[in-house]
Amino acid sequence: MEEAKPQRVVVMTGATAGIGAHALQHFAAQPNMRVIVGARGSGRTVPHGVEIVPLDLASLASVREFAGAVTRQLDDARIDILVLNAGMQTSNIERRSAEGYELIFAVNHLAHYLLARLLLPRLASQGRLVITTSDTHDPAITPIAPRTLDPQALAHPSKSGSGAGIRAYAASKLCNLLTAQSFAAMDEVKARHITVIAFNPGLTGGTSLGRDSSRASRVFVTLLMRTVFRLVGLFRPEYVMGTSERAGEALAEVALGTATPPHGRIYISLVKGKLTFPDPSELARSRDVQDRLWRESAIMAGIE
Ligand SMILES: NC(=O)c1ccc[n+]([C@@H]2O[C@H](COP(=O)([O-])OP(=O)(O)OC[C@H]3O[C@@H](n4cnc5c(N)ncnc54)[C@H](OP(=O)(O)O)[C@@H]3O)[C@@H](O)[C@H]2O)c1
């Protein structure tokens, strides 16, 4: 008699809308796969069999409760695939997380940093950690990308004003990429053959990212996409808008291991529907910057 294959476990954030909701369909369709989703609010609809555990990334206390609940629910089982995909973008950087950090930095970076640190011991050997980043981290692609990184200034910005929200978003996505590289460089991760990937879905339509931005800002971005981005897209493929269906499918491919970057690379970027493996920005590759973000994030998250 053929031996039954052990069940694989996926734990995921950002599965309730946009790119993540499409990726979730692919995970849920896999045979013998247990899928646990962290989600805020109530009345969520997810595919049959998917488990929902409450998680609000705007609160580090909620992140700790989520990690504890997942660990209890899994009992002895390990997480094969951890997908940290949730994200937000808003024009207003005055908003603060439960612990008093600027909300975009707190949700996109700090909460995921803490979650990955808390769940790393539960990750299976040869498992996968996928963190969704963005090519907005890269000054070679967009002028809004950061050229320096000061985690304290991101957590406690002193001035707001026009463009501050999108710059905070780009910086938070740089933090995702720096964090992925720090995890990939850990002895424990290497020894347990855990694959770490930073995934950029690229400019993607049909998602609700930016829904918290002001109406004026949303109108401005829509106009920009329909005019300037279309023109720039004629010679810069990164500016060609993809669909959330394809981005979700690509995220699932990357997480399930049907797509893997060449040896030694961890950054995967979806460009015109195809997976590419470019270099991250120079700042993102800096070991010093990675270490500084890691140290300061640990202090902010209270884990030193
Ligand atoms: N769209 C693009 O052009 C693009 C480009 C590059 C990278 N990305 C990245 O792709 C990822 C997915 O974005 P998307 O475009 O699919 O956006 P989306 O449609 O707005 O989905 C965002 C997801 O994150 C969740 N989320 C946001 N804040 C949360 C919180 N405080 N606690 C728990 N969950 C929270 C949302 O949950 P709710 O359903 O509760 O809101 C939703 O599931 C993000 O990391 C984003 O930065 C997007």
Side-chain angles (χ1 to χ4, degrees):
M1 212 171 69
E2 214 181 293
E3 219 177 289
K5 278 197 178 163
Q7 190 181 48
R8 283 190 298 166
V9 175
V10 182
V11 175
M12 179 172 183
T13 72
T16 48
I19 297 164
H22 289 289
L24 180 63
Q25 302 284 342
H26 291 275
F27 295 136
Q30 293 287 314
N32 213 15
M33 185 162 266
R34 181 174 179 187
V35 187
I36 301 177
V37 155
R40 59 185 171 167
S42 55
R44 295 299 189 172
T45 42
V46 288
H48 179 70
V50 171
E51 298 162 52
I52 297 186
V53 176
L55 170 65
D56 184 354
L57 293 158
S59 154
L60 295 176
S62 172
V63 170
R64 287 180 187 282
E65 278 165 31
F66 174 76
V70 167
T71 303
R72 281 192 301 279
Q73 268 176 235
L74 285 178
D75 203 2
D76 281 342
R78 300 269 137 192
I79 301 167
D80 296 284
I81 303 167
L82 177 58
V83 182
L84 306 180
N85 172 68
M88 64 166 296
Q89 186 192 312
T90 161
S91 47
N92 173 7
I93 60 163
E94 317 265 300
R95 294 167 70 190
R96 296 291 175 266
S97 68
E99 289 78 16
Y101 302 115
E102 192 284 317
L103 196 61
I104 302 170
F105 172 81
V107 167
N108 293 2
H109 163 62
L110 197 56
H112 282 135
Y113 166 83
L114 175 62
L115 186 55
R117 294 272 321 253
L118 294 174
L119 291 182
L120 181 64
R122 306 290 311 183
L123 216 56
S125 294
Q126 300 184 356
R128 284 196 162 223
L129 167 62
V130 180
I131 304 180
T132 303
T133 178
S134 163
D135 56 9
T136 55
H137 84 275
D138 189 352
I141 301 211
T142 166
I144 57 154
R147 285 162 197 276
T148 57
L149 189 90
D150 177 353
Q152 285 299 334
L154 292 178
H156 307 287
S158 53
K159 43 179 183 209
S160 51
S162 119
I166 189 66
R167 283 196 300 276
Y169 171 78
S172 75
K173 295 283 113 184
L174 170 64
C175 292
N176 290 145
L177 188 42
L178 290 163
T179 300
Q181 290 179 107
S182 293
F183 273 105
M186 284 175 84
D187 289 341
E188 180 188 348
V189 166
K190 288 183 192 157
R192 290 166 55 208
H193 303 286
I194 291 167
T195 302
V196 181
I197 288 170
F199 171 67
N200 162 45
L203 185 64
T204 306
T207 82
S208 49
L209 197 72
R211 82 190 103 156
D212 293 333
S213 290
S214 66
R215 197 177 131 69
S217 159
R218 277 183 280 130
V219 169
F220 176 69
V221 170
T222 308
L223 263 174
L224 205 66
M225 286 182 176
R226 289 191 184 155
T227 54
V228 179
F229 282 22
R230 279 204 184 151
L231 267 178
V232 178
L234 296 175
F235 49 95
R236 290 297 303 262
E238 297 89 352
Y239 281 77
V240 176
M241 192 186 292
T243 64
S244 52
E245 286 83 357
R246 173 62 193 132
E249 179 185 52
L251 174 57
E253 287 166 3
V254 164
L256 292 167
T258 48
T260 302
H263 182 69
R265 300 183 85 83
I266 73 156
Y267 181 44
I268 302 187
S269 179
L270 187 68
V271 181
K272 285 180 92 173
K274 296 218 162 37
L275 296 176
T276 64
F277 311 100
D279 285 333
S281 73
E282 202 181 323
L283 191 59
R285 282 182 275 135
S286 159
R287 197 62 232 171
D288 287 348
V289 179
Q290 290 163 21
D291 289 346
R292 180 177 177 196
L293 178 66
W294 184 275
R295 278 194 314 273
E296 295 191 23
S297 300
I299 295 168
M300 288 186 222
I303 43 175
E304 279 194 71

